[in-house]
Amino acid sequence: MKRRIDKSERKAAGRLQKPKNLNDHASSHWMWTWTKMGLLSVCVLSATIPILMHLFSDYVDLSRPSDVGLNHTVNIYLKPEEGVRVGVWYTVPEHRWKEAQGQNLEWYENALGDGSPIFIYLHGNGGNRSAPHRIGIANVLSAVGYHVLVLDYRGFGDSTGEPTEAGLSADALYLYHWVKAHSGNSLVCVWGHSLGSGVTTNIAVKLLEEGKQFDGIILEGAFLNGEVAPNQMFEHAFSWFYWKFPYIQFFLFNPLKNNIVVFPNNKNLQKIRTPIMFLHAEDDHLVPFAIAQENYRIAKQAQNSDERVKLVPFDGSLGYLHNGLYKDPDLPNIIREFVQSLKA
């Protein structure tokens, strides 16, 4: 005989199943919550890693370049003006690394006049001369057989002072004159990366006013003017400095507002008559490749020459982005050919 199930039993059965559904729902809810937290953590880490790298670079003893593998490099401090001291790493050509061991500053100063080409490297925004991509460029130039001097502008690394456009330009110009005083008739070129491209064109124009010029210029990841690249990289070209030293804002009235950044590459390139080579990754995520093409167009028109102005693109599939060109295996030959053209 079949047992009859009334409505009350059906309701009870429904109630008995309900806890199972609640558990499933709770499990799904927590799983989604943890997934969201995981995704949020990834986003936070992506934003934090560059900041952490910046902080950790501050703990490198910049007076000891050998600590980061530069064993034929000397640390120098120069004083471009009263109250300002800037740090410089000077690396001799790789073929002189053995004789460079244990040598003092006087030996390095004399080495500048050995006839090998010299590069002044002006780096980008934030960090200091110990950043991996900056060491990478120094190693490439040294391996090719050139002297290279990597400058930390005022306010960068262990250099004293507050960074301003005029101040950065003054520091780089002082280094150029210091190099010329020790280099004899050697070629003296400048390599400006990112923000350093603006410093480079500023002092190139300044040298023209003095009746002088670099023997050659390389601009890597160069922006069009200060309203383009620095604003793309940071809210303000020197905002990292005020974030790093927040107490300064209590003593200075609205410093960022008054610290106007121009770095007019587009205008400066119209005046420069020095041979220029632009290096730019097609996948540069901070300064679009179209800007490199515009800089090249301006410089080429100003100098009316395909020989004196060159643009070397790096395929986007290589993944070099804004800082990775030093990894390219063809870079040494590219640099060597450019320098050889300066001697012709």
Side-chain angles (χ1 to χ4, degrees):
M1 181 177 174
K2 294 182 178 179
R3 183 171 177 269
R4 184 178 176 183
I5 301 175
D6 60 19
K7 292 181 178 179
S8 62
E9 287 179 303
R10 290 195 185 96
K11 290 181 179 178
R15 287 195 293 272
L16 288 173
Q17 295 174 0
K18 197 169 185 178
K20 182 179 179 182
N21 292 337
L22 281 173
N23 288 334
D24 290 344
H25 178 73
S27 178
S28 298
H29 173 74
W30 280 108
M31 185 177 295
W32 174 235
T33 299
W34 282 108
T35 300
K36 289 191 291 184
M37 291 178 66
L39 291 171
L40 180 60
S41 298
V42 171
C43 293
V44 171
L45 282 172
S46 298
T48 305
I49 285 173
I51 296 174
L52 291 175
M53 290 178 66
H54 177 79
L55 284 174
F56 289 144
S57 70
D58 291 337
Y59 291 98
V60 174
D61 185 349
L62 295 172
S63 68
R64 294 172 55 88
S66 60
D67 288 353
V68 291
L70 295 173
N71 60 1
H72 49 302
T73 300
V74 67
N75 181 68
I76 304 171
Y77 291 113
L78 301 176
K79 294 183 178 180
E81 61 186 56
E82 187 67 30
V84 175
R85 185 196 72 172
V86 296
V88 179
W89 279 354
Y90 164 29
T91 302
V92 295
E94 190 176 90
H95 66 264
R96 301 196 65 179
W97 79 270
K98 284 187 178 180
E99 58 179 309
Q101 303 309 302
Q103 298 290 354
N104 58 20
L105 178 57
E106 182 180 1
W107 181 89
Y108 276 86
E109 289 176 347
N110 292 332
L112 270 175
D114 67 4
S116 300
I118 301 165
F119 270 87
I120 294 171
Y121 179 79
L122 303 177
H123 66 63
N125 196 17
N128 58 53
R129 56 196 184 276
S130 71
H133 59 287
R134 293 162 189 165
I135 294 174
I137 292 296
N139 283 330
V140 169
L141 290 169
S142 176
V144 173
Y146 307 150
H147 299 272
V148 54
L149 296 99
V150 183
L151 166 71
D152 266 333
Y153 323 101
R154 64 187 67 191
F156 289 70
D158 57 353
S159 298
T160 63
E162 179 189 351
T164 63
E165 179 171 1
L168 269 61
S169 299
D171 296 341
L173 191 60
Y174 184 88
L175 176 58
Y176 169 78
H177 288 305
W178 184 88
V179 168
K180 288 295 290 183
H182 296 88
S183 61
N185 295 321
S186 301
L187 287 175
V188 178
C189 303
V190 63
W191 183 314
H193 175 228
S194 194
L195 182 68
S197 69
V199 181
T200 296
T201 65
N202 271 1
I203 62 174
V205 170
K206 183 65 176 177
L207 284 175
L208 283 175
E209 295 172 358
E210 299 177 5
K212 305 170 184 176
Q213 65 176 19
F214 293 113
D215 293 304
I217 294 174
I218 294 179
L219 298 180
E220 175 193 357
F223 53 82
L224 200 62
N225 57 59
E227 296 177 354
V228 177
N231 287 346
Q232 287 179 338
M233 290 184 276
F234 301 92
E235 180 182 355
H236 184 279
F238 305 128
S239 62
W240 61 269
F241 179 77
Y242 297 97
W243 169 81
K244 183 178 177 183
F245 303 108
Y247 61 85
I248 288 179
Q249 299 190 53
F250 292 103
F251 299 99
L252 300 177
F253 177 74
N254 200 3
L256 292 179
K257 179 179 178 181
N258 297 325
N259 193 349
I260 299 172
V261 176
V262 181
F263 292 115
N265 278 342
N266 52 343
K267 294 181 179 179
N268 288 339
L269 289 170
Q270 295 175 17
K271 304 173 184 178
I272 296 171
R273 296 297 179 266
T274 304
I276 300 175
M277 180 168 65
F278 296 95
L279 306 177
H280 214 102
E282 292 179 347
D283 64 336
D284 192 318
H285 61 304
L286 296 180
V287 184
F289 183 68
I291 291 179
Q293 293 173 309
E294 178 61 12
N295 278 329
Y296 170 67
R297 184 196 66 79
I298 294 171
K300 181 180 174 181
Q301 184 178 51
Q303 301 203 38
N304 191 28
S305 173
D306 290 325
E307 296 300 320
R308 296 175 63 83
V309 180
K310 299 182 182 299
L311 170 61
V312 180
F314 293 80
D315 194 278
S317 65
L318 297 171
Y320 294 150
L321 300 175
H322 190 63
N323 295 330
L325 297 190
Y326 72 95
K327 303 174 186 177
D328 194 271
D330 291 330
L331 186 60
N333 285 332
I334 291 170
I335 298 169
R336 189 180 291 109
E337 289 177 8
F338 175 70
V339 173
Q340 287 296 328
S341 71
L342 304 177
K343 300 177 180 179

